[in-house]
Amino acid sequence: MDDSGMPIDRINTFVITDLIDHSSATANQKANIIIHIERWAASRNIDLQDEMAGSFLGQSNLFASFIKHLQTKVVDVQGETVVQMHPEKVCPDFFNHRLAVTVSYFTDLFDRNVARRRSNDPVLPNWHKSFENLIKRLGNRKIKGKTQSLVHGLTPLQQKTLFYALEKDGVINWNKETRIRNRLIILILYETGVRRGELLSLTIENCHTREYKPYIYIKQNVKYPDPRKDIPDTKTLERIIPISKELAKMIDEYCSIRSLKKEARKQPPFLLLATRSPCLPMSKGALNNVFAQIRKDIPEIDRLRPHILRHTRMENLDRHLLRQGYTDDQKSKIKNLIGGWSPNSKTGENYEKLSTEEQAYDALSALHIEIERGIS
């Protein structure tokens, strides 16, 4: 909206037409980038719709100012954007993402300007040339290479600490019913490596616990109405993930307890519900609170979050595949399937940092032993 609270047509049109097929989280992120772009334009008294039919950010100082704005982190304090004395830059990957959204948004504005002109309008060739030059300049600003994740999963010792706390009464400040549900949450994330949105979207019917080899089926919910304000999304591909018989048993036990409350039986069949009335499907905030309580009560794992368990799952899998002697191609296919990535994706490499470091340590230790033996 503008300063008077009125909707800005070009932003709303772009969001509706270009972002309609994206998940709500992705659409919100891209919409926020567009707002970030428009804030820069407002600070310069520039109408971007007119700019895409005029100078096309042709002035060097204007273009440099825009790029600097794209590099700058947004700081909001109580809903107000704050200008930083020493602005912090976004990471290279996110800057590149902002550039990509910028190109899409500018292209939309330009195409609408062209659509208002006759096909033989003499200004169009110059417009197209200027716009192509702008897109080329933006492309040249893209930061080459890909930033590598430095996130580690839990170490084996931290994993033991976590499960000791989950099994032992009184270590984490939960009542009995909450403890049963939260222990199930941790086990599902730990065993399967699913994302937060995938966990919260999981329905009872997609938990196949009575099969000879039990599994869960991860997919976007399109079947049931979701009463949550911030509806969780599944970011990765639909897939089947095997689970242990112990986890299958825990899911069945939790479902039995879940069905005891009349209010819970009225809810859509999402697996995880709030324990308090009216027993709504569990929200992202409530899930975050589960992890906040664990971090508070177990300082040894103060970085625990749902995504850390996803890294832990993939690192444990990497250790197992190494012990079993799988080839790199086989390991890549298995990880991509379980992680929900495309078959040729290299994303899994960012999810096995700790296990890779362990392998490097073991390899160097073995080399040192060989050297010492050779010297002696």
Side-chain angles (χ1 to χ4, degrees):
M1 295 187 178
D2 59 22
D3 293 337
S4 61
M6 297 298 292
I8 301 175
D9 289 341
R10 62 173 173 267
I11 296 179
N12 292 328
T13 301
F14 179 77
V15 170
I16 291 171
T17 58
D18 283 56
L19 305 183
I20 191 67
D21 293 329
H22 294 280
S23 69
S24 59
T26 301
N28 285 338
Q29 185 188 66
K30 291 188 174 183
N32 285 331
I33 292 173
I34 294 168
I35 291 170
H36 187 61
I37 293 168
E38 287 286 355
R39 281 174 174 164
W40 171 83
S43 72
R44 293 273 178 162
N45 294 318
I46 293 172
D47 186 307
L48 288 174
Q49 184 80 64
D50 294 340
E51 192 68 20
M52 293 304 112
S55 65
F56 297 91
L57 302 184
Q59 300 176 30
S60 59
N61 63 329
L62 201 63
F63 184 79
S65 170
F66 178 68
I67 293 299
K68 184 177 180 180
H69 185 75
L70 289 184
Q71 293 172 332
T72 305
K73 276 190 175 181
V74 177
V75 177
D76 289 326
V77 177
Q78 295 181 343
E80 298 293 331
T81 302
V82 177
V83 177
Q84 305 173 77
M85 294 297 293
H86 303 286
E88 186 179 355
K89 290 185 177 181
V90 298
C91 70
D93 283 349
F94 192 59
F95 172 70
N96 289 342
H97 181 51
R98 280 181 171 178
L99 278 177
V101 174
T102 298
V103 169
S104 296
Y105 186 47
F106 283 1
T107 300
D108 181 71
L109 298 179
F110 177 71
D111 287 345
R112 275 188 267 168
N113 286 335
V114 171
R116 297 189 182 107
R117 297 277 180 165
R118 293 180 180 272
S119 60
N120 61 349
D121 194 311
V123 304
L124 289 182
N126 287 334
W127 276 14
H128 281 287
K129 184 177 180 180
S130 297
F131 182 71
E132 288 171 4
N133 183 53
L134 171 60
I135 298 303
K136 184 178 179 180
R137 293 175 74 192
L138 290 170
N140 289 339
R141 290 288 181 158
K142 184 176 180 180
I143 299 174
K144 305 299 182 183
K146 185 171 178 62
T147 302
Q148 294 295 313
S149 170
L150 299 178
V151 178
H152 287 174
L154 299 180
T155 66
L157 179 58
Q158 289 175 324
Q159 294 175 47
K160 290 180 181 179
T161 301
L162 173 61
F163 285 100
Y164 172 82
L166 292 174
E167 297 293 341
K168 193 79 171 177
D169 290 336
V171 176
I172 305 175
N173 187 23
W174 294 326
N175 61 40
K176 183 178 179 181
E177 182 182 358
T178 301
R179 179 169 167 265
I180 292 172
R181 183 202 63 186
N182 292 353
R183 184 169 174 266
L184 176 62
I185 288 171
I186 300 299
L187 261 293
I188 293 176
L189 292 171
Y190 179 81
E191 271 204 18
T192 66
V194 296
R195 296 182 180 275
R196 180 181 65 171
E198 293 168 339
L199 173 70
L200 296 176
S201 298
L202 185 62
T203 58
I204 294 175
E205 67 189 47
N206 285 330
C207 297
H208 299 265
T209 57
R210 307 295 174 87
E211 304 291 333
Y212 175 69
K213 293 182 178 180
Y215 65 91
I216 58 174
Y217 182 28
I218 298 299
K219 62 182 297 187
Q220 182 77 40
N221 168 54
V222 293
K223 185 175 181 180
Y224 300 106
D226 196 325
R228 291 170 283 201
K229 291 182 179 179
D230 188 6
I231 297 175
D233 297 300
T234 58
K235 294 175 63 175
T236 41
L237 301 176
E238 290 187 13
R239 60 202 184 279
I240 290 173
I241 303 181
I243 59 175
S244 67
K245 291 186 177 181
E246 178 186 359
L247 179 54
K249 182 180 178 182
M250 288 178 61
I251 292 173
D252 287 341
E253 291 175 349
Y254 170 74
C255 288
S256 298
I257 297 171
R258 178 191 182 284
S259 64
L260 293 177
K261 293 183 178 180
K262 183 178 180 181
E263 295 158 307
R265 294 196 297 271
K266 294 180 180 179
Q267 296 299 331
F270 295 104
L271 177 64
L272 300 170
L273 301 181
T275 55
R276 295 181 180 179
S277 178
C279 301
L280 294 172
M282 194 175 195
S283 67
K284 294 178 183 178
L287 180 63
N288 291 339
N289 289 339
V290 171
F291 285 82
Q293 188 65 52
I294 296 174
R295 295 194 300 270
K296 178 181 177 182
D297 293 338
I298 315 175
E300 294 87 347
I301 48 176
D302 60 355
R303 61 190 183 89
L304 181 67
R305 287 168 177 78
H307 199 63
I308 293 295
L309 287 181
R310 181 169 169 81
H311 278 264
T312 304
R313 169 71 286 172
M314 301 310 292
E315 287 171 353
N316 285 342
L317 177 62
D318 187 61
R319 295 183 184 104
H320 172 74
L321 296 177
L322 178 68
R323 289 193 299 267
Q324 297 298 316
Y326 283 80
T327 66
D328 288 342
D329 285 344
Q330 290 172 327
K331 289 193 291 185
S332 180
K333 290 177 181 178
I334 293 170
K335 291 171 187 174
N336 287 339
L337 178 63
I338 293 176
W341 304 303
S342 61
N344 297 320
S345 174
K346 298 295 183 182
T347 305
E349 295 174 3
N350 282 333
Y351 284 82
E352 53 195 44
K353 294 296 182 184
L354 184 58
S355 59
T356 301
E357 289 174 9
E358 292 169 354
Q359 293 165 31
Y361 180 87
D362 290 342
L364 284 174
S365 296
L367 177 61
H368 293 158
I369 292 172
E370 287 185 11
I371 293 172
E372 289 169 357
R373 286 175 178 170
I375 294 174
S376 60

